[in-house]
Amino acid sequence: MLTIASDIDALARFGRALADPLRCRILLALRKAPAHPADLAEALEISRTRLSNHLACLRDCGIVVAVPEGRRVRYELADARLGHALDDLLGAVLAVEADRTCPDAEEKGCC
């Protein structure tokens, strides 16, 4: 049975993953299909080094997994439900009016 602490930890890890725009791009790409790092770096137009750092963060958060394929490694979402969660989150975020922000967004650095 999950405890509140583990629920909070899971949400915090997901939040950290989504806190960076590049990691969001990586997750959206992996939501569509698993990918090898070289292909992913090319598709996202970033260096392999930069991609590697972000993939390590996503692995450490438990969001993606590296699947060995001979001498290569393929990355994919750790659980298919994460893809569904991203779809649901995108739907909710896109439904919010574009000009809606927190009243103190600039002061707090949010929204």
Side-chain angles (χ1 to χ4, degrees):
M1 182 166 136
L2 291 176
T3 65
I4 295 297
S6 64
D7 290 347
I8 291 169
D9 181 57
L11 288 174
R13 283 185 284 126
F14 199 65
R16 278 192 298 275
L18 295 176
D20 183 89
L22 182 52
R23 286 195 296 271
C24 288
R25 291 175 56 206
I26 293 167
L27 289 172
L28 291 175
L30 293 176
R31 176 177 124 252
K32 293 179 182 176
H36 296 99
D39 300 331
L40 199 52
E42 184 178 330
L44 297 174
E45 298 179 340
I46 60 172
S47 71
R48 289 186 193 185
T49 301
R50 189 170 177 207
L51 175 69
S52 178
N53 291 334
H54 285 284
L55 286 172
C57 175
L58 293 171
R59 273 193 326 269
D60 291 346
C61 287
I63 307 293
V64 303
V65 293
V67 180
E69 290 184 330
R71 296 179 63 174
R72 298 181 76 186
V73 174
R74 181 186 76 236
Y75 280 87
E76 59 188 46
L77 295 177
D79 189 312
R81 291 176 290 184
L82 290 169
H84 298 296
L86 289 167
D87 289 339
D88 290 344
L89 188 56
L90 274 173
V93 169
L94 295 176
V96 175
E97 293 177 8
D99 62 347
R100 299 290 289 265
T101 60
C102 297
D104 51 358
E106 287 186 31
E107 180 181 313
K108 290 186 177 180
C110 63
C111 304

